[in-house]
Amino acid sequence: MSIRTVATTPFNDQKPGTSGLRKKVTVFQSAHYLENFVQAIFDTIAAPAGSTLVVGGDGRFYNREAIQVILKIAAANGFGKVLVGQDGILSTPAASCVIRKYQTYGGIILSASHNPGGPDGDFGIKYNTANGGPAPEKITDAIFARSKTLECYRIADVPDVALDQLGSFSLGGMTVEVIDPVADYADLMESLFDFKAIRALLSGGFRICFDAMHAVTGPYAKEIMEKRLGAPAGTVINGVPLPDFGQGHPDPNLTYAHELVEIMYGSPAAFDSAAFDSAAFGSAQATGEGALPERSRRPDFGAASDGDGDRNMILGKHFFVNPSDSLAVIAANAALAPGYAKGLAGVARSMPTSGAADRVAAKLGIPCYETPTGWKFFGNLMDAGKVTLCGEESFGTGSDHVREKDGLWAVLFWLNILAGRGQSVEDIVHQHWAEYGRNVYSRHDYEGLPADAAAALMDHLKSQFASLPGQRFGGYTVKLCDDFSYTDPIDGSVSTGQGLRVIFEDGSRIVFRLSGTGTEGATLRIYLEAFEPDAAKQRMDAQEALAGLIVIAHELSQLKSRTGREQPTVIT
Ligand code: VG1
Ligand code: CO
């Protein structure tokens, strides 16, 4: 094998964010940009010669090209074997599953997750360690440091590998094994959940719809839901992964997953236009819509996942499950799933995620940890056996079965709970609130702000921290404010600057954070939370219930005068 050592100049902007390095496709296409970063990863991790690596991505534009480059750099850097998903596909949780199952040295995942794809869209790359989880900050910091001094990279002069054929191929001295991207993951799901009970639920007329948003989960959802669980063909919509996600924004929230939202909220006929094979439903019984013909009945359960398959949105009929509540409901009902019947060691949530899970943990008598935003902070807790379930308000839920959040896993957990309880999604959530109280919660995102205005807004907030405690705003009195920092209980590492918190006397809070996953300008996230113990008031619209806090958030941040904005881009 001939190895070329290519002279290069370092880039100064290869700092991984909340989840890896994300940039415009055009940036990754510029000369040496991808190569430099991959070499910086390999220099940093210093894998012993002959090590095995996993490589795969969410199928977005530039995925295939990037994989060919990574394979050639891996061959030149002494890796013995690389496991690659067929056609370059591996969802983020599936990549984590494969790293763990085959005990590889680590893996490289290509994705910009929920960011749009295509030639003008975003691309991303991240390194996961041997536990299957995103590299912790000390490794991503070291990769960044290395990228700033890099003077050359090594690449093998070999032809491209045919990624569409399963099997083993030799690339220079290195073996490339093209694997089925779905099988290992689907087997893992089958080992965790009561597939028999879910099959019975589905054959009894319970209708589901899963929107893969033309992103990576299509093949996974079809295999698991339509094949292994017997859901009718057409249950999975937008199930073919496309390099530009069908020009959509593969973010499973109420704004961007609008096709699913129309099906679950809008006219029942919307589901027909999604080419749903209603004939396969046989003698399903309508619930509450009995007068409607069978084929126009709205599904009982809807779900969607994001670009790389680690996020989930859960919907009932005309009902949205807030992701923070979803984590709490899963924790409270975990015993229904065979993989979790033995009980939970603990739960963890990111700081901006609501405290709903804390209430369940308290009742179960298990610990609840509060970490910074991003899945990389859960890894140590899971590795140490301290937590079983983890969640983020940003549509991320998962467990110690892998070391990434896992969209389809959450969907299957919900189906397992629905099969076990025989109630609607809405009834389960309402009953949960009645039992534990409701952490009324919402996140307002302001996307595409000028970066300097966003930074100045955050500075302005911080400058008030000394004087805010004790001040009254409407019915709320400020108790404390801080810039959240976290000391990892396992390795003692400290992460600072993780979000500004304003906490009120009654436990309500407002959190301000700047996104670490965007590629253009700045995105301000405002997280709002209040507690409602009174069952008679719990069904109030979240925006109404939080109206007072929203006014305070605008006032404290001078949002309008600093950014010219009053209305969020996305409300969750
Ligand atoms: C966002 C979410 C965060 C999540 C991250 C990666 O980060 O808020 O909770 O872990 O995306 O998710 P930020 O920094 O933009 O707020 V994914 O699905 O992009 O891997
Ligand atoms: Co994602």
Side-chain angles (χ1 to χ4, degrees):
M1 168 177 62
S2 103
I3 294 175
R4 257 188 313 136
T5 299
V6 181
T8 185
T9 41
F11 295 91
N12 60 8
D13 67 345
Q14 297 195 323
K15 184 174 170 51
T18 311
S19 182
L21 180 67
R22 291 185 188 169
K23 299 280 175 198
K24 290 276 161 218
V25 166
T26 46
V27 172
F28 274 102
Q29 285 170 324
S30 59
H32 308 314
Y33 196 86
L34 172 69
E35 291 85 347
N36 273 23
F37 191 68
V38 174
Q39 186 67 55
I41 293 175
F42 290 160
D43 285 352
T44 303
I45 64 173
S51 296
T52 301
L53 195 68
V54 173
V55 177
D58 63 8
R60 67 177 59 225
F61 185 84
Y62 202 54
N63 191 52
R64 282 168 175 266
E65 293 84 345
I67 289 179
Q68 297 294 351
V69 170
I70 293 168
L71 290 176
K72 291 171 193 176
I73 299 180
N77 280 270
F79 282 90
K81 189 177 185 179
V82 179
L83 304 177
V84 191
Q86 189 175 22
D87 293 322
I89 294 282
L90 275 177
S91 78
T92 293
S96 185
C97 161
V98 171
I99 293 170
R100 294 170 67 78
K101 183 167 178 176
Y102 299 103
Q103 299 182 359
T104 70
Y105 191 81
I108 291 181
I109 301 178
L110 303 170
S111 172
S113 186
H114 52 285
N115 297 5
D120 303 319
D122 288 352
F123 193 73
I125 174 166
K126 105 182 154 168
Y127 178 68
N128 280 32
T129 52
N131 71 349
E137 274 188 336
K138 65 173 185 299
I139 297 183
T140 54
D141 287 349
I143 294 171
F144 178 45
R146 178 68 189 126
S147 73
K148 288 188 287 191
T149 60
L150 202 80
E151 287 175 344
C152 62
Y153 60 86
R154 289 184 298 286
I155 187 159
D157 256 330
V158 283
D160 285 359
V161 177
L163 295 175
D164 52 345
Q165 293 164 44
L166 295 176
S168 280
F169 307 91
S170 172
L171 191 78
M174 186 181 83
T175 303
V176 175
E177 198 175 320
V178 180
I179 60 168
D180 178 338
V182 176
D184 293 313
Y185 176 82
D187 290 349
L188 178 60
M189 293 302 113
E190 202 159 352
S191 75
L192 296 173
F193 298 114
D194 189 346
F195 271 35
K196 197 167 154 231
I198 300 174
R199 258 195 300 271
L201 175 77
L202 300 182
S203 65
F206 188 90
R207 297 177 57 158
I208 66 174
C209 177
F210 179 83
D211 188 352
M213 304 188 84
H214 285 304
V216 79
T217 47
Y220 295 86
K222 280 187 192 160
E223 167 66 23
I224 294 170
M225 293 177 178
E226 297 184 3
K227 282 210 190 123
R228 299 196 188 194
L229 290 170
T235 293
V236 178
I237 61 169
N238 300 318
V240 178
L242 298 174
D244 66 349
F245 308 117
Q247 302 202 326
H249 195 145
D251 197 353
N253 58 38
L254 293 171
T255 303
Y256 295 127
H258 47 84
E259 189 171 341
L260 178 73
V261 170
E262 270 158 39
I263 290 168
M264 301 304 294
Y265 279 72
S267 76
F271 204 30
D272 285 348
S273 64
F276 191 77
D277 180 5
S278 63
F281 274 100
S283 60
Q285 291 301 306
T287 50
E289 291 172 83
L292 293 168
E294 171 59 25
R295 65 181 276 112
S296 36
R297 206 157 56 80
R298 201 178 285 156
D300 304 283
F301 176 84
S305 190
D306 70 331
D308 61 329
D310 56 359
R311 296 185 177 208
N312 72 90
M313 177 169 72
I314 304 292
L315 301 175
K317 277 187 192 181
H318 215 284
F319 188 79
F320 168 71
V321 183
N322 187 287
S324 295
D325 284 338
S326 177
L327 173 66
V329 169
I330 289 175
N333 293 278
L336 290 170
Y340 303 87
K342 62 180 190 306
L344 308 173
V347 296
R349 61 163 176 84
S350 65
M351 180 275 283
T353 304
S354 95
D358 305 38
R359 297 175 192 282
V360 177
K363 197 156 186 176
L364 292 173
I366 57 174
C368 181
Y369 296 85
E370 185 178 41
T371 61
T373 295
W375 213 259
K376 60 186 170 220
F377 296 103
F378 294 134
N380 277 350
L381 293 169
M382 289 192 274
D383 286 350
K386 295 205 175 294
V387 302
T388 310
L389 298 180
C390 303
E392 295 192 277
E393 46 61 43
S394 55
F395 300 89
T397 336
S399 87
D400 59 359
H401 67 292
V402 290
R403 292 294 182 275
E404 289 278 5
K405 56 187 184 276
D406 189 342
L408 273 169
W409 170 92
V411 173
L412 292 168
F413 216 135
W414 266 92
L415 288 174
N416 198 142
I417 292 168
L418 289 159
R421 292 187 48 155
Q423 290 171 293
S424 69
V425 172
E426 188 174 359
D427 286 350
I428 288 174
V429 174
H430 284 163
Q431 210 169 305
H432 185 94
W433 291 342
E435 186 177 345
Y436 294 91
R438 178 182 178 192
N439 287 68
V440 186
Y441 187 84
S442 183
R443 185 177 103 183
H444 290 193
D445 292 336
Y446 292 84
E447 297 175 347
L449 300 179
D452 46 357
L457 179 149
M458 295 295 276
D459 287 344
H460 170 67
L461 279 166
K462 263 189 272 185
S463 72
Q464 302 167 77
F465 275 9
S467 59
L468 279 180
Q471 282 192 46
R472 242 183 114 73
F473 295 88
Y476 299 90
T477 305
V478 178
K479 185 176 172 199
L480 62 97
C481 356
D482 67 1
D483 189 349
F484 183 65
S485 73
Y486 177 68
T487 304
D488 186 297
I490 311 302
D491 65 15
S493 57
V494 177
S495 303
T496 56
Q498 297 294 331
L500 306 181
R501 307 193 286 185
V502 180
I503 301 175
F504 300 92
E505 292 287 358
D506 69 350
S508 309
R509 59 178 190 153
I510 307 172
V511 177
F512 301 85
R513 246 190 96 245
L514 294 181
S515 158
T517 57
T519 60
E520 245 168 343
T523 293
L524 171 68
R525 307 200 194 284
I526 303 180
Y527 310 79
L528 307 137
E529 178 176 1
F531 184 62
E532 181 52 76
D534 182 354
K537 296 187 197 152
Q538 285 168 349
R539 300 190 189 184
M540 197 171 169
D541 175 71
Q543 304 310 315
E544 263 173 57
L546 297 167
L549 287 176
I550 294 169
V551 170
I552 300 171
H554 286 215
E555 190 180 328
L556 291 179
S557 63
Q558 300 181 335
L559 184 75
K560 190 174 178 208
S561 63
R562 289 176 177 277
T563 68
R565 303 272 194 91
E566 262 181 313
Q567 286 306 317
T569 326
V570 178
I571 294 181
T572 298

